[in-house]
Amino acid sequence: MVFSPSFSLPISAPILHVLPDSDPPYNLLRCHPSLNLLSKCKNTQNLRQVHSHIIKTGLHNTQFALSKLVEFCVVSPFGDLSYALLVFESIEEPNQFIWNTIIRGHSLSSSPIRAIAYYVRMILSGMEPNSYTFPFLLKSCVKVAATHEGKQLHAQILKLGVDSDPFIHTSLINMYAQNGELDNARLIFDKSALRDAVSFTALITGYASRGCMDDARRLFDEIPIRDVVSWNAMISGYTQCGRFEEALTIFQEMQEANFPPNDSTMLTLLSACAHSGSLELGNWVRSWLEDHGRGSNLQLVNALIDMYSKCGDLDTARDLFNGINQRDVISWNVMIGGYSHMSHYKEALALFQIMLRSNIEPNDVTFLGVLPACAHLGALDLGKWIHAYIDKNFHNLTNISLWTSLIDMYAKCGNIEAAKQVFDNMESRNVASWNAMISGLAVHGHAHMALEFFSRMANEGFKPDDITFVGVLSACNHAGLLDLGRQYFNSMIRDYKISPKLHHYGCLIDLLGRAGLFDEAKTLIENMEMKPDGAIWGSLLGACRVHGRVELGEYVAEHLFELEPENPGAYVLLSNIYAGACRWDDVAGIRTKLNDQGMKKVPGCTSIEVDSVVHEFLVGDKVHPLSKDIYKMLNEVDRLLDLAGFVPDTSEVLYDMDEEWKEGALSHHSEKLAIAFGLISTKPGTTIRIVKNLRVCRNCHSATKLISMIFNREIIARDRNRFHHFKDGSCSCNDYW
DNA sequence: TTAGGGTTAG
C-alpha cells in the first residue's frame, strides 16, 4: 500500500470485536480514530486506506462506521458515489440512515432521478422512509423537473403524516414552485401554519422565476422575521427580472435596517452590476469585500471578473483572473464568456486554448462562451472539435442552449447541413432553437426552407417571437420575396400581436427599396412608431445606388449624415451613386470631404481558418509569414482570370478609395488574399470558407465566381449580411445581395 | 444515534 506523505494512519487504533447489527456504545464509535481520519481524506487513495483501516480494526461490523463511510463518499468532493454504492451493496440490511444517505448521494449526482429508484428499493425492502428521506427526494424532482414523481411523493408524505415537518413543507413548496406549479406551491404555503423565512423565501423565489416580482414583494413584506437569504432572494429576483434599480433599493433597505449582508449578498449584487453595467457599485462591492477580508474568496473573485468584463473593463477583469492562485472552471468560464460578450472573440479563443493546455476540463458553460466566438470568426474546425468533445464527454446532456449554440455556430460558419443535423438530433427544442435554424437558413439564402421551418414550428405548438420574425423577414429579404415579406410582416402584427421593431421594418424597407418601390418604402418610414435608424436609411441608400436614384440618394444621405456623422459608409455609398451617374466632380467632392474630416472607412478584413488556426487578412496585407507565396498565387489568379476574359468592375472605386485603391486596381482586396492563401494551403478540391467583415464588393463577387470555376473549388463566403456559396462559376445569392 | 428546506457563473 502506498502512503502519501501528508497522510498517515494511527499505529494503535482500538480493535473492536462486535457482532453485526449490534453497534457498541456510540461515544466509543463517534470519536474512533479511523472515523476521524475520514475528514482528512483528500483523494480516493486516502479513502481506500481508511476503509482498510476500518476493516482491520473491526469497525466494518458496525452500521455506524459504514454509515459514516458512505456519508463521506456521498458528500465530500473527494469521495465518489460508486464507491458508496459498493459499500452499500455489501451491507445486508442497511439502516434508515444509510438508505437516506444513498438517496441523498443520488440527489447530488449527475442523474438525480436515480434517487427515486433507490427510494422504491427502500420501500420494497421493508424499510420505512422518515422525514429526512423526502427533502432529498424532492430536491431530485426539482433538478430533473419531475413534477409527476413529486406529486406521488407528496401523496406518500400525506399518508405518512410528515407534512408538518418544516423541512418537508419547504421542500414541497420549492418542488411545486420550481416546476412551474405556483398555484400548488401557494396552496401548501397558505394551508399550513408553518411560516418561517425559509418557506416564504421558497415561494418568493418561485414568483421571481415567473417574473411576478410584485407578488414576491408582497410576500417579502409579510415575513415575520426576515433572514439574510430572504433579502438576497429579493435582490436576486429583481435582478433576474431586469429590475436593477429595485434590486439596489432592496439592498439599500437592507442597509438601512442594519441587516448585515453576507458573501451571497455581494454575489447577488455583483450579478446585478454585471447585468446593468453599474461599474460604480461594482467597485464599491470590491472595496467592501477587501475591507471585510473576503477579497481572495474564489467565488467572489469570479463574480468580480464577471462584473468587470460585462461592464466593459476587460483589463481589470483579466488582472483579477491572472491574480488567482487556483482557478476553477468558473474562473475560466467567466473570463472567456466576458471576452465573447464584449466581442473580443480572438481573445476568447486564445484563452480557451490556454485553458485546454492547462488541463482544465471545460463544461457546457465554457462552450456557451466559446461557440459564439467560433461563430463570429468562422472557426469551423474548432467548432467541430467542440461538437465532437460534447458527443464524447457529455452523455445525456439536455442543455438546449448548448445545442442551439452549436446550430448557430454551424450556420454562421457556413455549414448549414451540419446545423440542420444538430437540430434534427435534438431531443427537445425551444423557440431559440427554431429561431437559430430559421435565421441560419435565411442567411444562406434558403428562403423557402426557412419558411417551411416556420410553419413546422407553429404546427409543433411553438409560439414565434419577434426574433423568429427577424429570421423569417430576412429570409424573404435575402431571396427578394417581396410579396411574401409583406404578408409575413402583416401577419406578425395581426395574428401574432407582435409590434414591429426597427429590425422588422429594416427588412421590409430593404425589400421595397431593392424592388425600386421607393414611395411605399417612404410611406412605411413615415408611419413607423419610432425614428428610423442608420441601418434603415443605409439600406435605402444602397437601393438608390442599385436603381441609380441620385436625387433621392442625396435626400436619404442627408438623414444618414445627420444620424451618423462619423460613419464614412454613407459618404462612400453616395459617392458610388455619383460614380454610377458619371458625376465625377461630385465623387471628387466627397473624397475631399472625407479627407478633410479625417474619416477613414473601416478596413476590409477577411479571415480564413486552416488547420484550426484563424488567419486574418487586411487589404493589401503583407504581414503573413507566407506573404510571398500568397502574392505569387494572386498573380496566377489574376493571369487566369484575365485569360478567362474577366473585366474588373471599377464602378465602386471610391468604396475602396484609401488603402485599397492605392494598392493598385482591386486585386488585393482582403477576400482575394484569403482565397489565395486558401488555394495554396489546402488540398485541391477542398472547400474554402472565408469570413469578411464588410459586404463583398461587386468586383470580388464576379471574380470569386470565376475563381470557383477555374480552380474547381467551392468557396463559401460570409459577408456582413449573408452567405455566398460560389460553385462552378455562379453564386447561391443569384447576384442579389 | 450521525442528516434534511429557501439566495449564489449563462
Side-chain angles (χ1 to χ4, degrees), chain A residues 60-81:
Chain A
H60 65 296
N61 289 318
T62 73
Q63 292 242 353
F64 184 85
L66 295 179
S67 70
K68 281 288 153 198
L69 183 66
V70 171
E71 186 191 25
F72 176 83
C73 293
V74 150
V75 187
S76 158
F78 308 112
D80 84 273
L81 182 58

Side-chain angles (χ1 to χ4, degrees), chain A residues 54 357 368 560 658:
Chain A
I54 285 173
R357 282 202 296 274
L368 285 174
L560 209 45
D658 30 45

Side-chain angles (χ1 to χ4, degrees), chain A residues 551-618:
Chain A
E551 270 176 42
L552 188 62
E554 286 173 328
Y555 163 81
V556 172
E558 276 310 314
H559 281 281
L560 209 45
F561 295 154
E562 203 176 298
L563 219 58
E564 300 176 351
E566 306 292 317
N567 179 6
Y571 292 92
V572 173
L573 262 178
L574 183 60
S575 104
N576 284 338
I577 292 174
Y578 286 137
C582 298
R583 284 170 56 172
W584 302 111
D585 288 350
D586 293 312
V587 173
I590 289 189
R591 193 174 186 155
T592 320
K593 213 169 178 177
L594 276 177
N595 282 341
D596 288 351
Q597 296 181 10
M599 273 196 263
K600 277 199 150 191
K601 91 175 189 70
V602 179
C605 173
T606 304
S607 57
I608 175 170
E609 186 193 46
V610 174
D611 295 332
S612 303
V613 179
V614 177
H615 302 255
E616 266 188 349
F617 294 92
L618 292 170

Side-chain angles (χ1 to χ4, degrees), chain A residues 432-728:
Chain A
S433 335
W434 287 93
N435 289 352
M437 204 56 228
I438 291 171
S439 43
L441 288 164
V443 285
H444 281 273
H446 300 315
H448 290 289
M449 208 188 285
L451 299 177
E452 212 178 288
F453 267 76
F454 176 75
S455 329
R456 262 183 66 193
M457 171 186 187
N459 287 340
E460 292 188 25
F462 289 94
K463 202 171 157 271
D465 60 12
D466 55 330
I467 300 169
T468 317
F469 278 99
V470 173
V472 166
L473 292 172
S474 81
C476 298
N477 196 357
H478 289 310
L481 305 172
L482 176 60
D483 286 338
L484 274 175
R486 276 203 198 104
Q487 283 170 31
Y488 278 106
F489 187 84
N490 293 330
S491 161
M492 170 179 83
I493 303 167
R494 192 186 54 230
D495 306 328
Y496 295 92
K497 314 284 175 232
I498 296 171
S499 37
K501 298 201 172 68
L502 275 170
H503 256 314
H504 305 113
Y505 281 115
C507 288
L508 194 55
I509 288 163
D510 197 53
L511 260 174
L512 291 168
R514 282 161 189 267
L517 300 173
F518 289 99
D519 291 338
E520 198 179 332
K522 253 180 90 180
T523 316
L524 194 60
I525 290 183
E526 281 158 10
N527 291 325
M528 277 165 49
E529 303 79 24
M530 63 286 270
K531 280 188 93 176
D533 65 349
I536 288 183
W537 289 120
S539 73
L540 214 50
L541 193 59
C544 290
R545 187 183 63 80
V546 174
H547 292 277
R549 297 284 295 259
V550 182
E551 270 176 42
L552 188 62
E554 286 173 328
Y555 163 81
V556 172
E558 276 310 314
H559 281 281
L560 209 45
F561 295 154
E562 203 176 298
L563 219 58
E564 300 176 351
E566 306 292 317
N567 179 6
Y571 292 92
V572 173
L573 262 178
L574 183 60
S575 104
N576 284 338
I577 292 174
Y578 286 137
C582 298
R583 284 170 56 172
W584 302 111
D585 288 350
D586 293 312
V587 173
I590 289 189
R591 193 174 186 155
T592 320
K593 213 169 178 177
L594 276 177
N595 282 341
D596 288 351
Q597 296 181 10
M599 273 196 263
K600 277 199 150 191
K601 91 175 189 70
V602 179
C605 173
T606 304
S607 57
I608 175 170
E609 186 193 46
V610 174
D611 295 332
S612 303
V613 179
V614 177
H615 302 255
E616 266 188 349
F617 294 92
L618 292 170
V619 280
D621 208 333
K622 286 190 173 132
V623 294
H624 194 278
L626 293 177
S627 196
K628 262 195 181 162
D629 299 324
I630 293 169
Y631 278 87
K632 222 166 112 190
M633 177 47 102
L634 215 51
N635 285 336
E636 177 65 4
V637 169
D638 284 338
R639 194 183 64 83
L640 291 171
L641 279 174
D642 203 36
L643 270 179
F646 179 72
V647 183
D649 180 343
T650 50
S651 67
E652 291 182 344
V653 274
L654 190 73
Y655 191 76
D656 323 293
M657 189 191 67
D658 30 45
E659 299 96 307
E660 295 181 352
W661 182 244
K662 282 184 229 149
E663 286 299 330
L666 296 147
S667 62
H668 300 158
H669 263 178
S670 59
E671 52 264 58
K672 267 177 108 180
L673 286 168
I675 290 170
F677 176 66
L679 286 171
I680 61 168
S681 53
T682 58
K683 283 189 197 127
T686 316
T687 301
I688 294 177
R689 294 167 195 274
I690 58 172
V691 176
K692 193 182 181 187
N693 64 337
L694 305 173
R695 263 175 49 148
V696 57
C697 78
R698 278 195 208 179
N699 188 63
C700 284
H701 195 266
S702 328
T704 313
K705 284 199 286 187
L706 270 178
I707 294 170
S708 75
M709 188 169 72
I710 296 169
F711 289 86
N712 193 23
R713 294 275 197 140
E714 192 174 346
I715 300 172
I716 301 179
R718 185 178 95 194
D719 73 6
R720 221 170 109 155
N721 285 347
R722 62 167 296 153
F723 274 94
H724 302 264
H725 292 248
F726 297 96
K727 204 181 169 188
D728 302 329

Side-chain angles (χ1 to χ4, degrees), chain A residues 33-259:
Chain A
S34 301
L35 297 186
N36 289 339
L37 273 176
L38 271 174
S39 63
K40 297 199 178 78
C41 286
K42 294 280 177 276
N43 51 46
T44 328
Q45 174 80 3
N46 290 165
L47 182 68
R48 286 167 190 275
Q49 287 173 304
V50 175
H51 191 184
S52 323
H53 209 252
I54 285 173
I55 295 167
K56 258 169 52 188
T57 51
L59 277 182
H60 65 296
N61 289 318
T62 73
Q63 292 242 353
F64 184 85
L66 295 179
S67 70
K68 281 288 153 198
L69 183 66
V70 171
E71 186 191 25
F72 176 83
C73 293
V74 150
V75 187
S76 158
F78 308 112
D80 84 273
L81 182 58
S82 53
Y83 200 88
L85 284 168
L86 274 176
V87 177
F88 170 76
E89 297 297 353
S90 74
I91 304 170
E92 213 163 295
E93 284 183 21
N95 64 19
Q96 210 175 23
F97 181 91
I98 297 177
W99 274 109
N100 285 347
T101 309
I102 287 296
I103 290 172
R104 181 188 187 189
H106 283 103
S107 80
L108 296 167
S109 76
S110 52
S111 38
I113 194 69
R114 295 207 182 124
I116 312 273
Y118 277 85
Y119 172 69
V120 173
R121 257 184 77 181
M122 178 185 186
I123 306 286
L124 290 176
S125 79
M127 178 59 74
E128 277 232 328
N130 64 4
S131 63
Y132 287 95
T133 320
F134 294 104
F136 301 136
L137 289 167
L138 291 167
K139 186 107 171 180
S140 308
C141 294
V142 169
K143 282 194 182 167
V144 296
T147 319
H148 186 65
E149 286 82 354
K151 285 181 178 168
Q152 287 180 298
L153 287 167
H154 190 181
Q156 303 247 332
I157 288 163
L158 293 170
K159 213 167 116 190
L160 276 163
V162 284
D163 55 315
S164 56
D165 179 278
F167 291 87
I168 294 180
H169 179 245
T170 312
S171 300
L172 275 172
I173 293 173
N174 194 44
M175 186 274 294
Y176 282 115
Q178 295 297 315
N179 285 338
E181 303 210 353
L182 268 167
D183 292 342
N184 282 330
R186 183 82 206 207
L187 219 59
I188 295 168
F189 179 82
D190 285 338
K191 263 177 67 182
S192 164
L194 292 167
R195 277 158 180 260
D196 57 4
V198 187
S199 52
F200 268 101
T201 311
L203 199 52
I204 285 174
T205 312
Y207 280 121
S209 69
R210 284 297 193 84
C212 310
M213 276 320 287
D214 299 332
D215 291 309
R217 173 80 222 205
R218 270 194 288 279
L219 275 171
F220 181 67
D221 290 334
E222 281 177 37
I223 304 181
I225 303 167
R226 294 170 183 168
D227 65 10
V228 67
V229 182
S230 50
W231 285 98
N232 293 349
M234 284 302 291
I235 301 176
S236 155
Y238 278 123
T239 304
Q240 279 167 29
C241 298
R243 291 161 68 166
F244 305 111
E245 293 211 353
E246 282 147 297
L248 301 185
T249 311
I250 296 281
F251 179 61
Q252 275 162 13
E253 281 177 38
M254 189 177 180
Q255 287 194 304
E256 282 156 19
N258 278 324
F259 204 102

